[in-house]
Amino acid sequence: MTVPRILIFDSGMGGLTVATCVRAQLPNAELIYAADNAGFPYGAWKEEALVARIVHVMGALIERAKPDVVVIACNTASTLALAALREKYAVPFVGTVPAIKPAAAQTKSNIIGVLATPGTVSREYTHTLIHTYAFHCKVILHGAKRLAEIAEQKLKGHAPDLNELRDEIAPVFRKRDGKQTDVVVLACTHYPLVIDEMKLVAPWEVNYLDPAPAIARRVSDVVADLKLAGPQSGVSEPDTVLLTSARGSASESLAAYGAMGFRRHEFVDLPV
Ligand code: DGL
């Protein structure tokens, strides 16, 4: 079978949490990681402008990478732009949306925290998930303004300020009628990067839901359905990262991507 080429997309480095699971699930696949670092962070963008940005950037990335499958490893993008992407491009897309359904199945206290970007918190898509699957629960949706940036900085070698981190996550820890939050959905792919620090500053223990393993299984199913024919290429390409800008701390990011196995990089210049 031909080696599948999988394009994994995020605004920044958060999608690496998904890429790690995809690599474990499909060790022979060729992975191309793309970060719209020129547009990062997506959390504060206005919806209309962000859909246009994502559709535009994805066009250039598909043209460059010619993937068999695209993974939108970003809740902020998936909850907004998946339909527009599927309408415009023929390649199959796998999205990442808040794991509210599994959280509702798992909670014992019926108090669920959802940590996400301000964008994901405001999406109709997210509210529909809550009304459909968690109508019997108290869902505390919190738009963390700085958490994705803190996670990004950690990968670039800057240790998180634990007091700031505590303030970012505190609102999802709630007590009511003798019960308390027992499940927290990590509804931004950046957040598992700071899970150890979150556990350090959290007021009590909860289950954190990271959807990355489930996304990787879904990618594997989609790849199997493609039934890619042809000879297996003997040498697989080293995994590559595509960045939409060379600005700022590109060298720190490149070191971080390299440490995660993406040893080649290219700039696809797409200024905002
Ligand atoms: N990693 C992205 C997500 O899953 C968002 C980070 C950002 O650009 O704000 O939502």
Side-chain angles (χ1 to χ4, degrees):
M1 199 177 89
T2 310
V3 172
R5 184 179 296 150
I6 303 172
L7 175 65
I8 302 175
F9 173 78
D10 184 27
S11 54
M13 307 173 105
L16 289 170
T17 58
V18 175
T20 302
C21 289
V22 172
R23 188 181 279 133
Q25 186 84 29
L26 294 165
N28 297 321
E30 180 188 346
L31 304 189
I32 299 179
Y33 188 88
D36 184 11
N37 61 320
F40 179 85
Y42 275 178
W45 279 64
K46 293 267 183 294
E47 293 198 348
E48 214 176 307
L50 187 55
V51 180
R53 172 75 188 167
I54 294 167
V55 170
H56 169 63
V57 168
M58 193 48 64
L61 294 173
I62 289 174
E63 176 76 17
R64 159 65 193 78
K66 307 214 169 9
D68 297 303
V69 180
V70 178
V71 184
I72 305 296
C74 175
N75 293 260
T76 314
S78 297
T79 51
L80 183 67
L82 264 179
L85 289 170
R86 286 183 174 134
E87 197 177 313
K88 179 119 190 176
Y89 306 111
V91 62
F93 287 91
V94 174
T96 310
V97 299
I100 287 163
K101 187 180 179 186
Q106 199 180 95
T107 180
K108 301 262 183 307
S109 67
N110 284 354
I111 307 179
I112 297 170
V114 179
L115 269 178
T117 66
T120 300
V121 161
S122 68
R123 301 276 188 266
E124 207 181 307
Y125 193 109
T126 306
H127 292 270
T128 303
L129 283 178
I130 293 172
H131 291 140
T132 310
Y133 299 112
F135 51 87
H136 56 295
C137 297
K138 169 83 190 147
V139 179
I140 302 126
L141 250 182
H142 173 58
K145 291 200 174 66
R146 291 250 320 131
L147 202 46
E149 176 66 28
I150 293 171
E152 188 107 344
Q153 287 301 323
K154 180 187 168 187
L155 271 199
K156 292 178 186 170
H158 308 284
D161 172 337
L162 293 183
N163 286 325
E164 188 183 16
L165 195 83
R166 182 181 292 114
D167 293 345
E168 289 285 307
I169 70 166
V172 295
F173 290 84
R174 198 77 72 77
K175 292 188 178 183
R176 202 164 86 154
D177 303 331
K179 293 181 175 169
Q180 60 190 30
T181 307
D182 63 351
V183 179
V184 170
V185 177
L186 303 177
C188 166
T189 51
H190 278 74
Y191 301 167
L193 296 169
V194 284
I195 188 71
D196 293 339
E197 290 83 355
M198 276 191 212
K199 287 179 178 169
L200 272 180
V201 299
W204 58 81
E205 273 184 34
V206 294
N207 284 338
Y208 294 90
L209 277 187
D210 172 6
I215 295 159
R217 287 193 295 277
R218 175 79 194 121
V219 173
S220 176
D221 290 348
V222 171
V223 166
D225 284 350
L226 289 175
K227 299 190 174 45
L228 297 172
Q232 172 103 33
S233 60
V235 188
S236 76
E237 295 284 317
D239 292 338
T240 303
V241 59
L242 304 176
L243 298 167
T244 55
S245 162
R247 89 189 141 102
S249 55
S251 60
E252 279 181 342
S253 341
L254 293 181
Y257 286 118
M260 304 287 276
F262 293 90
R263 293 185 304 281
R264 286 199 326 193
H265 71 272
E266 266 175 48
F267 296 109
V268 182
D269 198 27
L270 295 166
V272 170

